[in-house]
Amino acid sequence: MLLEQNLIIAAMQRHSLTFWWLVACWVSVFNKLIRRYKYLEKGFEDEVKKLLLFLKGFSESERNKLAMLTGILLANGTLNASILNSLYNENLVKEGVSAAFAVKLFKSWINEKDINAVASSLRRVNMDNRLMELFPANKQSVEHFMKYFTEAGLKELSEYVRNQQTIGARKELQKELQEQMSRGDPFKDIILYVKEEMKKNNISEQTVIGIIWSSVMSTVEWNKKEELVAEQAIKHLKQYSPLLAAFTTQGQSELTLLLKIQEYCYDNIHFMKAFQKIVVLFYKAEVLSEEPILKWYKDAHLAKGKSVFLEQMKKFVEWLKNAEEESGSDSEEGD
């Protein structure tokens, strides 16, 4: 494989315009050789990994050219994204070589494909959650990553990493929530933990109420009989109402919860007749208020089970409207 190393290094030493002409030639040659001789694929990747480990031996100009070439080879599938493991070398990371090299590499890769294709390749080799390791430990934060790569012209990559971190934080939050509920931890401790995670990971209340709803509903082995599951659900949800109420302080959060309830009742057929009972319970427990319920009924509901759930809610909604009108009349008389 020494030949492949020499070919790449020779290509990097040409003038930039000549370099790109050579890139097209070398990429074409590599592709043809690897397609014809499959055993070369692994050997070629191993040689590229070695080259990346010795990036400090190249000039900045040579590193930039190698990064762009590597990006193209990743884009057309000649190389596997696992080669990026070499960039996590402690010395390369410490001296900032890895991050600078990654900027040129990802620009080239995204230019050839797009961020979705890049993300897919990273996921296949479990590299999608490791990109912050391109920086030393004291700089491994979403804020630093986004600032560095956005200023370098890679906003798409920055947003992708931010989204990945948020998804990871949500999964971790749900896992911990379920464990706390299983242990029977006090609600005040659970609420404190969730609020700290919201602040730390910039997770909205709307997102959190969905996570709490899923966690609450997953802690029970539900009865398979439709006539019994509603009673079981009311008893269970009444217990968790204080926890849910702590994260429905905004109208949009209440509406999100309503949609989650609708979706759950539709997807779990034994709950189809329980929807109205759950909503009424949450109204009485001050988890939900009348305005979001009326908005849901009017135009904010999902299509799933729409006719069934709207019919169930009809009398309760009429009662809410009458109560609202009576309240308005009392206020006017008081004035």
Side-chain angles (χ1 to χ4, degrees), residues 58-315:
F58 300 118
S59 68
E60 183 179 352
S61 174
E62 289 170 342
R63 284 199 297 267
N64 289 342
K65 290 174 181 177
L66 177 58
M68 290 185 281
L69 173 58
T70 305
I72 292 172
L73 292 171
L74 283 164
N76 65 27
T78 304
L79 289 175
N80 185 286
S82 61
I83 63 155
L84 298 179
N85 272 308
S86 295
L87 295 181
Y88 300 133
N89 174 272
E90 186 178 353
N91 290 325
L92 295 177
V93 169
K94 184 179 179 181
E95 297 188 24
V97 174
S98 293
F101 186 86
V103 165
K104 299 295 183 182
L105 182 151
F106 279 110
K107 275 188 176 180
S108 177
W109 193 354
I110 292 171
N111 186 55
E112 291 291 316
K113 291 288 188 178
D114 59 37
I115 189 61
N116 293 324
V118 171
S120 178
S121 296
L122 292 172
R123 276 195 300 272
R124 281 198 293 271
V125 294
N126 298 315
M127 203 78 72
D128 49 326
N129 290 315
R130 293 192 61 197
L131 293 181
M132 282 199 291
E133 293 176 37
L134 292 166
F135 298 102
N138 63 340
K139 293 182 179 179
Q140 287 180 18
S141 68
V142 175
E143 293 75 18
H144 180 76
F145 187 98
M146 289 192 68
K147 184 175 186 296
Y148 185 91
F149 280 90
T150 299
E151 288 178 356
L154 282 165
K155 187 178 180 182
E156 286 176 299
L157 185 66
S158 298
E159 290 177 348
Y160 166 72
V161 167
R162 181 184 62 186
N163 291 337
Q164 286 298 109
Q165 290 299 307
T166 302
I167 291 168
R170 290 175 189 172
K171 288 180 179 177
E172 188 59 35
L173 173 59
Q174 182 152 9
K175 180 183 176 184
E176 179 60 25
L177 261 177
Q178 289 171 346
E179 289 178 0
Q180 290 178 349
M181 289 177 188
S182 297
R183 293 195 302 263
D185 290 4
F187 287 156
K188 62 181 179 61
D189 293 344
I190 297 176
I191 290 167
L192 180 62
Y193 163 73
V194 172
K195 287 186 175 180
E196 287 175 352
E197 290 299 304
M198 286 172 67
K199 185 176 180 180
K200 183 170 73 175
N201 296 295
N202 195 29
I203 305 174
S204 69
E205 187 178 84
Q206 290 93 329
T207 299
V208 163
I209 194 61
I211 293 172
I212 293 174
W213 167 260
S214 298
S215 299
V216 167
M217 297 305 282
S218 67
T219 59
V220 179
E221 186 69 38
W222 295 108
N223 200 301
K224 300 300 181 185
K225 294 182 179 180
E226 189 175 26
E227 63 271 18
L228 298 176
V229 77
E231 183 181 343
Q232 184 187 9
I234 295 304
K235 184 179 179 181
H236 178 67
L237 292 171
K238 188 175 183 179
Q239 177 188 348
Y240 281 95
S241 290
L243 177 60
L244 290 156
F247 298 97
T248 51
T249 64
Q250 304 166 16
Q252 191 58 46
S253 303
E254 294 181 55
L255 188 55
T256 298
L257 178 57
L258 277 162
L259 295 173
K260 291 292 182 182
I261 299 167
Q262 179 185 353
E263 191 170 36
Y264 187 91
C265 290
Y266 178 81
D267 291 340
N268 298 272
I269 194 166
H270 299 303
F271 281 81
M272 285 292 283
K273 293 181 180 179
F275 178 77
Q276 185 263 2
K277 293 177 182 179
I278 294 172
V279 175
V280 171
L281 167 70
F282 284 164
Y283 176 76
K284 290 179 178 178
E286 297 186 346
V287 176
L288 297 172
S289 56
E290 60 187 52
E291 189 175 334
I293 294 173
L294 293 174
K295 181 172 177 55
W296 172 88
Y297 186 83
K298 182 181 179 182
D299 57 20
H301 47 261
L302 300 171
K304 293 180 174 182
K306 170 184 170 181
S307 58
V308 174
F309 299 135
L310 291 180
E311 181 60 32
Q312 282 184 30
M313 290 291 292
K314 189 175 181 180
K315 288 184 179 179

